[in-house]
């Protein structure tokens, strides 16, 4: 990426769409933002890295509800204010351990509207719906958090507004602020800074090697598809109906709302020979740790013909199984089944992390998460892989986290496909066809981005007029 292109991307702001997947029933109705502001929250702090300089800053926090009504943690944002080590410094957040679960705690970086000598950046901590609520008098328990420079150079803490070198045990700390609904409900922000405009982009969302494709092509035969590293599948074989065809002509492109959208069409007339499935994949297996993201439109109903086929609509990464139960196999899937299948009677969305499998007799080692509901329509899908876990998000909300046992040992390809599990869901011989649409795909190597950061980065590419970029090195 050129220097000018990076500047344009960093200048572009975007708000990430967040749609709740589901809400956990709470013992008490959470307070409104106004009630919470009136009754109050308290932020307690200690540091686990007390040096004036450190490899990483380690603010450990607890949030206590001092009010008379329960408060949804998903409504709460915390800000730790600090001085950047340089104007160009980029930072990375991590959660080491949390009573509420690290999967329910996210961190992004931003720039205050009025920088001061001790605070020209902040780390904003948010909670997913899975964190639940705080009853009156309750606290979150430990939030063992940390952040570091992206290049792992030492960072200075002594000039950071929120840093308390002497804080070796938890205590109330007004230099870390808490916010609900745009109101500051605890603490004092440096220089009078309140909550920033929610459309402010996180600082420096990505500066690593990146693949971005807006799928701005004329058709499946467009030579830029191959030039940009993609292959539209034509060879036979699984998954799906034995004897089905994989048809490149059924991968098409069209403009929708100013963006080029890729469509994968799958059709059948109830026989193997009439079944046409679709897939597009990167020719190179060069993708491993980092962030993968896309925007996909799933379909519950066929575009034409009778409904009921056991369809699979996907976004995934994968490498080759060198031998049954080989331990260097890896695969990470989003799979939507609009009509059920694999023993499920109706809509279900799976995310699955694979360690290995044996095709015959079937044996699988994997971990999966699922939600049984309709996902018809457009959805933002993000999966992040670091050295400790695989984490899945749908529409900005945490969907599942899978353990270190399922981390990849080798690089993978990036794939989209749509296929039929079998022909038993709808036995009619009437022709029918199904569509899966894809807006874009993004991979940032070795960096874990939040869904909001993904949205900012994609908007930056589009604002800069960039429809394709691949700076991810080969292997």
């Amino acid at each position: 990426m050129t220097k000018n292109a990076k500047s344009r991307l960093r200048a572009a702001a975007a708000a990430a769409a967040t749609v709740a997947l589901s809400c956990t029933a709470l013992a008490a109705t959470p307070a409104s933002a106004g009630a919470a502001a009136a009754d109050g929250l308290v932020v307690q702090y200690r540091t686990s890295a007390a040096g004036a300089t450190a490899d990483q800053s380690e603010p450990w926090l607890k949030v206590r509800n001092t009010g008379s009504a329960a408060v949804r943690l998903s409504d709460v944002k915390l800000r730790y204010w600090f001085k950047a080590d340089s104007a160009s410094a980029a930072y990375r957040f991590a959660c080491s351990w949390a009573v509420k679960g690290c999967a329910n705690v996210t961190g992004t970086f931003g720039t205050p509207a009025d920088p001061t000598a001790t605070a020209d950046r902040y780390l904003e901590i948010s909670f997913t719906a899975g964190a639940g609520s705080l009853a009156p008098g309750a606290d979150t328990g430990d939030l063992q958090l940390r952040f570091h420079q992206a290049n792992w150079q030492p960072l200075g803490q002594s000039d950071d507004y929120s840093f308390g070198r002497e804080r070796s045990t938890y205590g109330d700390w007004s230099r870390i602020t808490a916010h609900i609904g745009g109101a500051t409900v605890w603490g004092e922000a440096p220089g009078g800074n309140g909550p920033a405009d929610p459309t402010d982009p996180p600082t420096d969302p990505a500066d690593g090697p990146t693949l971005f494709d807006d799928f701005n092509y004329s058709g499946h035969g467009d030579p830029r598809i191959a030039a940009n590293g993609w292959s539209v599948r034509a060879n036979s074989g699984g998954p799906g109906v034995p004897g089905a065809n994989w048809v490149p002509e059924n991968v098409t492109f069209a403009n929708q709302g100013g963006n080029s959208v890729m469509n994968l069409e799958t059709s059948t007339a109830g026989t193997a020979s009439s079944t046409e499935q679709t897939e597009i994949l990167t020719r190179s297996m060069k993708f491993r740790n980092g962030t993968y993201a896309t925007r996909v439109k799933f379909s519950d109903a066929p575009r034409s013909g009778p409904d009921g086929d056991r369809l699979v609509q996907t976004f995934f990464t994968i490498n080759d199984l060198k031998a049954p139960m080989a331990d260097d196999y890896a695969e990470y899937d989003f799979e939507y089944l609009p009509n059920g299948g694999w023993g499920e009677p109706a809509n279900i969305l799976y995310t699955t992390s694979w360690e290995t499998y044996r095709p015959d007799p079937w044996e699988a080692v994997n971990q999966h998460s699922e939600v049984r509901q309709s996902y018809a329509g457009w959805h933002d899908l993000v999966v992040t892989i670091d050295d400790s876990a695989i984490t899945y998000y749908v529409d900005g909300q945490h969907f599942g986290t899978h353990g270190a046992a399922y981390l990849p040992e080798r690089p993978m390809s990036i794939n989209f496909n749509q296929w039929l599990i079998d022909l038993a869901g709808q036995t009619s011989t009437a022709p029918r066809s199904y569509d899966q649409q894809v807006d874009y795909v993004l991979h940032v190597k070795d960096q874990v981005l939040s869904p909001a950061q993904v949205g900012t980065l994609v908007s930056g590419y589009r604002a800069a007029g960039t429809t394709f970029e691949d700076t991810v090195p080969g292997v």
Side-chain angles (χ1 to χ4, degrees):
M1 188 189 305
T2 66
K3 181 178 181 181
N4 287 340
K6 281 190 175 182
S7 298
R8 289 195 300 272
L9 291 178
R10 291 175 179 172
T18 55
V19 178
L21 293 177
S22 58
C23 296
T24 302
L26 304 177
T29 302
S32 68
D39 291 339
L41 296 177
V42 169
V43 178
Q44 297 185 323
Y45 161 80
R46 61 160 291 195
T47 180
S48 186
T53 61
D55 290 336
Q56 55 188 349
S57 184
E58 298 187 42
W60 291 15
L61 309 178
K62 290 183 182 179
V63 182
R64 182 162 51 92
N65 181 3
T66 59
S68 57
V71 176
R72 283 189 300 263
L73 280 170
S74 59
D75 292 338
V76 177
K77 296 184 184 298
L78 312 176
R79 286 193 176 171
Y80 181 97
W81 306 83
F82 66 99
K83 175 73 173 177
D85 294 271
S86 68
S88 61
Y91 294 88
R92 301 289 175 258
F93 164 80
C95 173
S96 297
W97 187 79
V99 172
K100 292 291 185 179
C102 279
N104 295 315
V105 182
T106 62
T108 57
F109 297 92
T111 302
D114 298 305
T116 72
T118 59
D120 58 12
R121 302 282 181 89
Y122 59 79
L123 167 63
E124 182 170 277
I125 304 301
S126 302
F127 301 89
T128 71
S133 67
L134 285 183
D139 66 50
T140 58
D142 279 337
L143 303 169
Q144 298 182 9
L145 313 178
R146 55 190 170 90
F147 66 93
H148 59 85
Q149 291 203 68
N151 59 10
W152 278 105
Q153 292 299 305
L155 52 76
Q157 300 191 101
S158 59
D159 57 353
D160 291 350
Y161 177 85
S162 294
F163 177 63
R165 183 173 185 175
E166 73 286 0
R167 293 282 173 163
S168 59
T169 59
Y170 279 113
D172 296 359
W173 192 240
S174 63
R175 287 176 173 258
I176 296 172
T177 55
H179 312 275
I180 297 180
T184 301
V185 298
W186 168 262
E188 183 178 350
N193 285 286
D197 186 318
T199 62
D200 287 353
T203 300
D204 196 15
D207 55 10
T210 301
L211 167 69
F212 172 73
D213 200 328
D214 215 12
F215 293 118
N216 189 14
Y217 302 109
S218 61
H220 76 278
D222 190 326
R224 293 176 300 159
I225 293 178
N228 290 344
W230 295 98
S231 175
V232 183
R233 181 174 175 179
N235 59 293
S236 61
V241 174
N245 304 296
W246 295 87
V247 181
E249 291 82 359
N250 290 348
V251 177
T252 57
F253 303 86
N255 187 284
Q256 291 186 11
N259 291 326
S260 179
V261 173
M262 177 172 65
N263 189 75
L264 283 68
E265 177 186 343
T266 292
S267 62
T268 187
T271 64
S273 60
S274 68
T275 300
E276 297 183 348
Q277 305 177 140
T278 46
E279 181 169 19
I280 185 169
L281 64 155
T282 60
R283 295 198 309 274
S284 175
M285 292 187 187
K286 63 177 183 177
F287 307 98
R288 190 172 174 180
N289 285 17
T291 299
Y292 300 80
T294 188
R295 184 167 172 79
V296 172
K297 186 177 183 181
F298 295 128
S299 300
D300 278 355
R303 183 175 60 182
S304 62
D307 197 1
D309 288 293
R310 294 169 179 168
L311 188 71
V312 184
Q313 301 175 330
T314 76
F315 166 55
F316 63 104
T317 68
I318 192 171
N319 59 30
D320 53 326
L321 182 71
K322 293 183 176 295
M325 303 302 288
D327 61 7
D328 63 348
Y329 176 75
E331 180 180 348
Y332 308 97
D333 302 329
F334 288 89
E335 294 177 309
Y336 180 53
L337 282 58
N339 292 316
W342 297 328
E344 292 291 331
N347 323 76
I348 187 168
L349 176 63
Y350 287 104
T351 60
T352 308
S353 301
W354 291 78
E355 168 59 18
T356 191
Y357 74 96
R358 177 173 55 209
D360 189 20
W362 177 255
E363 181 180 358
V365 181
N366 61 36
Q367 183 177 356
H368 71 271
S369 305
E370 72 281 329
V371 171
R372 292 171 176 83
Q373 67 178 56
S374 172
Y375 280 90
W378 285 104
H379 296 283
D380 297 299
L381 311 179
V382 176
V383 56
T384 66
I385 304 173
D386 59 20
D387 290 330
S388 61
I390 306 101
T391 304
Y392 297 86
Y393 301 88
V394 177
D395 296 328
Q397 299 297 304
H398 176 255
F399 193 91
T401 296
H402 302 160
Y406 305 96
L407 293 172
E409 289 87 3
R410 289 189 290 124
M412 302 167 288
S413 62
I414 296 175
N415 304 51
F416 298 88
N417 65 18
Q418 184 179 220
W419 49 280
L420 296 176
I421 296 173
D422 53 39
L423 297 173
Q426 170 56 264
T427 58
S428 170
T429 57
R432 59 266 192 191
S433 63
Y434 299 83
D435 290 336
Q436 174 187 343
Q437 296 182 340
V438 182
D439 188 9
Y440 73 85
V441 69
L442 173 76
H443 170 69
V444 181
K445 177 179 169 63
D446 295 334
Q447 293 188 14
V448 171
L449 303 184
S450 69
Q453 288 174 310
V454 167
T456 297
L457 189 56
V458 171
S459 293
Y461 275 114
R462 288 175 167 169
T466 302
T467 59
F468 176 80
E469 177 179 272
D470 186 4
T471 59
V472 180
V475 293

